[in-house]
Amino acid sequence: MKGWAAADKVGFGKLIDRLTEATIAHLTAQVTAGAELIQLFDSWAGALDGEAFHSWVVEPTRKIVAALKAVKPSLPVIGFPKGAGAKYLGYARETGVDVLALDQDVPLAFARDVLQPVAALQGNLDPRLLLSGGTGDGDADP
């Protein structure tokens, strides 16, 4: 898919546009039916950089958020560009999401000092903690 995106930006862009419009239609129906918040997951975000990240992650998210806020301005929207690293900041500033969901690889100091002034934060929990029931090092408390 990444190869197609690089080799045929116009064709791939048409796919992203269709997915964006379908997502807007689906989520608008969810909001109309009573959804109180929306979370957008982008599991591909960490694989992209520079222009590709902006074109295939930021812009579609910005369009989705704007469309949802047009229906319900107070709707909280959580964005989760998994693996985005330092690109979280631009994502938060450019997309209009209210909350950033962070993966476990985001340094806590970066989250606190750089991201928290821009958006509310959630996540950053290492999934191994759920399995171990403790600190993540395998030493679960009884």
Side-chain angles (χ1 to χ4, degrees):
M1 184 88 64
K2 201 172 168 185
W4 177 30
D8 181 11
K9 291 181 182 181
V10 173
F12 191 75
K14 288 179 182 179
L15 172 65
I16 294 296
D17 289 344
R18 285 187 179 192
L19 290 172
T20 300
E21 292 305 316
T23 300
I24 289 169
H26 176 73
L27 293 179
T28 298
Q30 293 290 315
V31 170
T32 302
E36 295 180 4
L37 68 88
I38 297 294
Q39 183 165 359
L40 301 170
F41 293 82
D42 197 325
S43 58
W44 198 40
L48 302 172
D49 56 13
E51 183 184 330
F53 182 81
H54 189 267
S55 296
W56 313 134
V57 177
V58 171
E59 277 304 307
T61 301
R62 184 191 60 72
K63 289 175 185 174
I64 294 165
V65 172
L68 295 174
K69 296 283 188 170
V71 172
K72 185 175 181 182
S74 64
L75 179 74
V77 179
I78 303 167
F80 182 34
K82 185 177 185 314
K87 296 178 296 239
Y88 270 104
L89 182 59
Y91 176 91
R93 286 184 173 157
E94 295 179 45
T95 62
V97 297
D98 302 292
V99 179
L100 286 174
L102 307 178
D103 59 69
Q104 72 272 10
D105 296 324
V106 175
L108 292 177
F110 176 74
R112 179 193 64 226
D113 299 338
V114 177
L115 300 177
Q116 194 168 17
V118 177
L121 305 177
Q122 75 170 32
N124 195 260
L125 178 67
D126 186 334
R128 294 176 299 164
L129 291 174
L130 299 173
L131 296 174
S132 69
T135 62
D137 60 8
D139 294 333
D141 294 324

